[in-house]
Amino acid sequence: MASMRDIKRRRDSIQSTSQITKAMKLVSTVKLQKAKGHAEETKPYFNKMYETVSGMLARSGGSSQNPYAKARETDGPKKKGVILITSNRGLAGGYNSNVVKLVTQGDFDRENTVIYPVGRKGLESLQRLGYRISGDYSEVINKPLFGDAVSIGKTVSSAWESGEIDEVYLAYTVFKNTVTQIPTLIKILPFDEENEEAAPAEETSRRGEEEGPVALMNYEPEEEDTLGYIIPLYMNSLIFGALVEAVASENGARMQAMDNATSNAEEMIDSLGLQYNRARQAAITQELTEIVAGASAIE
């Protein structure tokens, strides 16, 4: 059995840690409420943007020759670019590792994948694994702005247009509720049938009810010019929506992790309290036994 001094030292250490985790939980709770409100305010716009763009392409009759909506033919394996959104700090449970696994456990080999990292945790993890890193947008996640999404979108679009990458993916975490965050990987360029995975559930359900023939879309000006303007805007909007969702998800994950850590610390403190009392009781019993034995020896 450990000594009373060791047990007391360990209990005091865990109590200090518990106070830190409680404080971090409170901070994350406050940040979560703000981030959650921001996400709820902006989500309708991005849902409508997705609905508009997907509806336009669905009514184009498959004739669009716009490069944003046409898969690129290559001789070898396609080069893929991934906008990876994680956090700058840890202590958020599996939040960061779950997003990184979307890349490491997906169809993204190191030789043909370029990572555009938002958040130091994802950057450091994939850099250690040998992935090619392009840029560092870690500061963006502290307070996302639409201008930040536009900047990232322009960088990735330029790489796509120059042929440096053939496909663009977005890896982030969808905020469902306070205790549930869903790691999500979607394809944003080129815009084709696979992009249906990015549709919000309510939009997918609503479109499923609209069966039957639909009228073809008429464009003014020309189709290529119109889609050439709309699809980059759609991409920037999707990136900003992912940034907002990621901030809410990060704070939700950290709040939950700190709550679990606090509960575990309290259980350990109670267990150590019992051990300390038992050790103290054993020491008292030992002293009484020695006193009685000494008195008997004197007699």
Side-chain angles (χ1 to χ4, degrees):
M1 181 182 293
S3 66
M4 292 173 57
R5 179 180 298 176
D6 292 338
I7 295 174
K8 188 175 185 301
R9 184 183 296 115
R10 187 181 180 193
R11 185 180 64 180
D12 293 342
S13 176
I14 294 175
Q15 284 178 336
S16 299
T17 303
S18 176
Q19 292 175 354
I20 295 173
T21 57
K22 284 181 180 179
M24 292 185 67
K25 177 187 173 182
L26 292 174
V27 172
S28 297
T29 301
V30 174
K31 289 184 177 180
L32 173 62
Q33 296 303 317
K34 184 177 180 180
K36 180 181 177 182
H38 192 193
E40 290 175 346
E41 289 175 358
T42 56
K43 184 173 291 186
Y45 169 78
F46 303 113
N47 288 351
K48 180 59 67 173
M49 174 64 76
Y50 179 87
E51 177 190 353
T52 301
V53 175
S54 60
M56 289 173 62
L57 294 177
R59 290 168 172 80
S60 297
S63 62
S64 174
Q65 296 300 314
N66 188 277
Y68 289 103
K70 184 178 180 181
R72 183 176 296 165
E73 296 180 1
T74 58
D75 296 332
K78 291 186 177 181
K79 299 177 182 179
K80 301 176 180 180
V82 182
I83 303 171
L84 186 80
I85 303 178
T86 57
S87 68
N88 289 331
R89 298 183 298 155
L91 298 177
Y95 169 76
N96 292 305
S97 61
N98 289 337
V99 180
V100 171
K101 286 178 182 177
L102 294 174
V103 176
T104 58
Q105 297 182 4
D107 187 22
F108 299 95
D109 58 273
R110 296 179 181 86
E111 292 75 17
N112 298 295
T113 302
V114 180
I115 304 298
Y116 299 88
V118 180
R120 283 193 295 270
K121 290 300 179 180
L123 185 154
E124 294 169 357
S125 296
L126 293 181
Q127 196 171 46
R128 285 195 300 268
L129 294 173
Y131 283 87
R132 178 185 168 189
I133 306 298
S134 179
D136 181 3
Y137 306 95
S138 298
E139 296 303 320
V140 170
I141 202 63
N142 292 332
K143 188 177 181 181
L145 300 173
F146 189 76
D148 299 324
V150 172
S151 177
I152 296 172
K154 285 183 178 178
T155 301
V156 177
S157 294
S158 298
W160 187 81
E161 291 171 355
S162 66
E164 182 180 348
I165 54 178
D166 301 311
E167 296 177 348
V168 179
Y169 292 82
L170 180 62
Y172 69 109
T173 306
V174 173
F175 179 80
K176 186 175 182 180
N177 54 50
T178 304
V179 297
T180 305
Q181 300 86 35
I182 306 172
T184 304
L185 178 70
I186 60 175
K187 181 180 178 182
I188 58 178
L189 280 181
F191 193 100
D192 54 24
E193 289 80 4
E194 294 183 18
N195 296 60
E196 290 296 322
E197 298 177 3
E202 59 270 22
E203 296 299 335
T204 303
S205 173
R206 189 188 63 78
R207 287 198 303 273
E209 299 173 356
E210 298 179 355
E211 299 180 353
V214 294
L216 293 180
M217 177 71 68
N218 292 323
Y219 290 92
E220 180 64 36
E222 296 299 322
E223 177 180 353
E224 290 75 11
D225 296 335
T226 303
L227 294 180
Y229 173 79
I230 291 294
I231 291 181
L233 178 60
Y234 154 81
M235 184 179 70
N236 296 336
S237 300
L238 200 61
I239 294 172
F240 181 64
L243 291 171
V244 174
E245 293 266 352
V247 172
S249 298
E250 175 192 349
N251 286 291
R254 182 170 291 110
M255 185 192 75
Q256 189 67 20
M258 292 301 99
D259 182 59
N260 293 336
T262 302
S263 298
N264 292 337
E266 291 174 351
E267 291 179 3
M268 293 180 68
I269 290 171
D270 292 339
S271 177
L272 289 171
L274 290 175
Q275 292 183 31
Y276 181 82
N277 291 336
R278 289 172 182 170
R280 182 170 176 270
Q281 185 67 37
I284 293 173
T285 302
Q286 180 67 26
E287 290 178 2
L288 290 175
T289 301
E290 291 175 356
I291 291 173
V292 172
S296 299
I298 293 175
E299 294 178 355

